[in-house]
Amino acid sequence: KITDTTENPVIKIGSDNYPPYNFLNEDGMPTGIDVDLATEAFGRMGYKIEIIPISWEQKKKLLENGEIDCIMGCFSMKGRLDDYQWAGPYMISRQVVAVNSDIYKLSDLEGKKLAVQSTTKPEEIFLRRTDERIPKLGNLISLENRELIYTFLGKGYVDAVGAHEESIIQYMTDYNME
């Protein structure tokens, strides 16, 4: 019998705290949809994974300087195909708006304040306004920390937030929101 004493190489995956995709459990260990998928996919290829907490704004720089090997997250490919090497999509998630006021349709955001996480697809959508359905906002507030967008909404600093649908659903579940 031959025993393989070599360890599987480690892939360093950069990701931010983004429930339900990647977050720390009660024991401080990374968990979530992305962690489970990465563990299985890289395990099948003979690798172990290490989840490296990153600032989402720094993702491209961290990849370029080799601090991480790849990023995994609820990260839209559309409009970014030439910016990264992609493994391909593994899910579909819509960009949506959550409100804490009398906003019922996208056009009701005209002149209102919206918070988004910086360098995300919702930020791009509302900054570029390439779709005629996207109203002109009164103010777009881009925050590095995703959790702060919900704080801004709850405190009334903004009228709405823009994010991935699953992230908003997770927030609503965690905080018993409608």
Side-chain angles (χ1 to χ4, degrees):
K1 179 177 176 182
I2 299 175
T3 304
D4 183 4
T5 59
T6 60
E7 282 197 35
N8 291 349
V10 175
I11 296 290
K12 296 180 289 182
I13 301 173
S15 189
D16 63 346
N17 183 38
Y18 204 82
Y21 304 103
N22 180 34
F23 58 98
L24 299 179
N25 67 15
E26 304 82 33
D27 298 324
M29 300 299 297
T31 191
I33 297 167
D34 287 349
V35 176
D36 292 343
L37 285 171
T39 300
E40 180 66 24
F42 282 107
R44 288 182 184 195
M45 294 185 287
Y47 292 93
K48 292 181 181 177
I49 66 164
E50 178 184 359
I51 303 295
I52 308 290
I54 65 169
S55 163
W56 198 245
E57 290 179 339
Q58 300 296 316
K59 62 189 170 293
K60 196 166 190 176
K61 179 181 139 199
L62 295 169
L63 279 169
E64 289 169 352
N65 70 22
E67 290 184 52
I68 57 176
D69 298 310
C70 65
I71 54 177
M72 187 166 184
C74 203
F75 188 36
S76 300
M77 293 172 58
K78 187 175 181 182
R80 297 179 172 135
L81 290 175
D82 295 331
D83 295 339
Y84 300 91
Q85 293 178 342
W86 296 92
Y90 60 94
M91 64 174 295
I92 296 172
S93 178
R94 300 181 305 166
Q95 304 298 328
V96 298
V97 174
V99 302
N100 195 14
S101 62
D102 58 352
I103 296 169
Y104 299 100
K105 55 188 184 290
L106 209 50
S107 60
D108 292 341
L109 288 172
E110 184 80 31
K112 303 284 188 187
K113 293 179 283 190
L114 178 82
V116 296
Q117 182 181 9
S118 59
T119 74
T120 61
K121 199 60 161 177
E123 180 187 55
E124 178 184 322
I125 289 168
F126 283 96
L127 281 175
R128 292 192 180 168
R129 295 184 53 238
T130 56
D131 185 318
E132 64 187 30
R133 297 172 295 172
I134 304 301
K136 183 173 171 122
L137 299 171
N139 195 6
L140 178 65
I141 300 172
S142 297
L143 301 162
E144 181 178 357
N145 185 322
R146 180 190 62 86
E147 288 86 4
L148 287 177
I149 68 173
Y150 301 111
T151 301
F152 272 51
L153 181 63
K155 295 284 187 183
Y157 301 153
V158 295
D159 303 295
V161 297
H164 283 278
E165 182 175 33
E166 292 301 322
S167 175
I168 288 176
I169 290 169
Q170 184 69 48
Y171 173 80
M172 291 167 47
T173 300
D174 291 348
Y175 294 95
N176 197 27
M177 306 292 288
E178 291 184 29

